[in-house]
Amino acid sequence: MEERAELHANNNDQLLRDIRLLIDILTPLVSSYRLLVGGADEFNRITLAHKSDLEDAIKRADDMGDIIDVIDEKLKALIKNLIKGMDCYDENIINIQSSVIKKEDNDIN
């Protein structure tokens, strides 16, 4: 299984690097988003907070959510391409294995 992953990684090195990069970008953004939403919730609970502060906090969280959505869509597209590549790779392995088996059968007979 590890050999297959290594072979696949070598064939699509740039694709995997792009996926890893987007994941590395996405992880802290999601943490920041959660903090922004929590901050907006705290403003909502504070009775002395100005309505404009709450609206600003919600807008910041919403903007971060939009950025996360863009990265998520790009990540989904790259992962779909990776899976398609794996399907192609699996088909090639099956074809190679079946041709090797046929050749071995002919050699035996």
Side-chain angles (χ1 to χ4, degrees), residues 2 13 19 23 25-26 28 34 42 79 99 109:
E2 290 178 20
D13 195 44
I19 289 171
I23 289 171
I25 292 169
L26 186 62
R34 294 183 75 197
E42 287 180 28
I79 290 173
S99 65
N109 295 329

Side-chain angles (χ1 to χ4, degrees), residues 2-29:
E2 290 178 20
E3 292 173 0
R4 189 171 117 192
E6 287 178 21
L7 286 173
H8 185 70
N10 292 335
N11 289 338
N12 293 310
D13 195 44
Q14 184 61 44
L15 182 59
L16 289 175
R17 278 188 292 192
D18 290 346
I19 289 171
R20 287 185 186 123
L21 178 65
L22 285 177
I23 289 171
D24 289 344
I25 292 169
L26 186 62
T27 302
L29 289 178

Side-chain angles (χ1 to χ4, degrees), residues 36-51:
L36 289 170
V37 169
D41 183 49
E42 287 180 28
F43 270 127
N44 193 35
R45 292 180 187 191
I46 298 172
T47 55
L48 297 177
H50 294 282
K51 184 177 180 180

Side-chain angles (χ1 to χ4, degrees), residues 17-109:
R17 278 188 292 192
D18 290 346
I19 289 171
R20 287 185 186 123
L21 178 65
L22 285 177
I23 289 171
D24 289 344
I25 292 169
L26 186 62
T27 302
L29 289 178
V30 169
S31 295
S32 296
Y33 175 75
R34 294 183 75 197
L35 290 172
L36 289 170
V37 169
D41 183 49
E42 287 180 28
F43 270 127
N44 193 35
R45 292 180 187 191
I46 298 172
T47 55
L48 297 177
H50 294 282
K51 184 177 180 180
S52 63
D53 292 333
L54 175 61
E55 290 170 352
D56 290 343
I58 291 171
K59 179 158 180 27
R60 282 190 295 273
D62 189 46
D63 290 344
M64 181 66 71
D66 292 340
I67 293 169
I68 289 170
D69 289 342
V70 170
I71 293 172
D72 183 54
E73 288 302 315
K74 291 182 184 291
L75 186 58
K76 285 178 187 176
L78 289 175
I79 290 173
K80 285 179 183 178
N81 287 335
L82 179 66
I83 291 170
K84 286 179 187 176
M86 286 178 175
D87 290 343
C88 178
Y89 178 77
D90 289 342
E91 290 173 11
N92 290 336
I93 291 296
I94 291 168
N95 291 336
I96 291 170
Q97 288 175 347
S98 64
S99 65
V100 168
I101 291 170
K102 288 178 185 176
K103 182 178 179 187
E104 288 176 358
D105 285 345
N106 289 339
D107 291 344
I108 293 172
N109 295 329

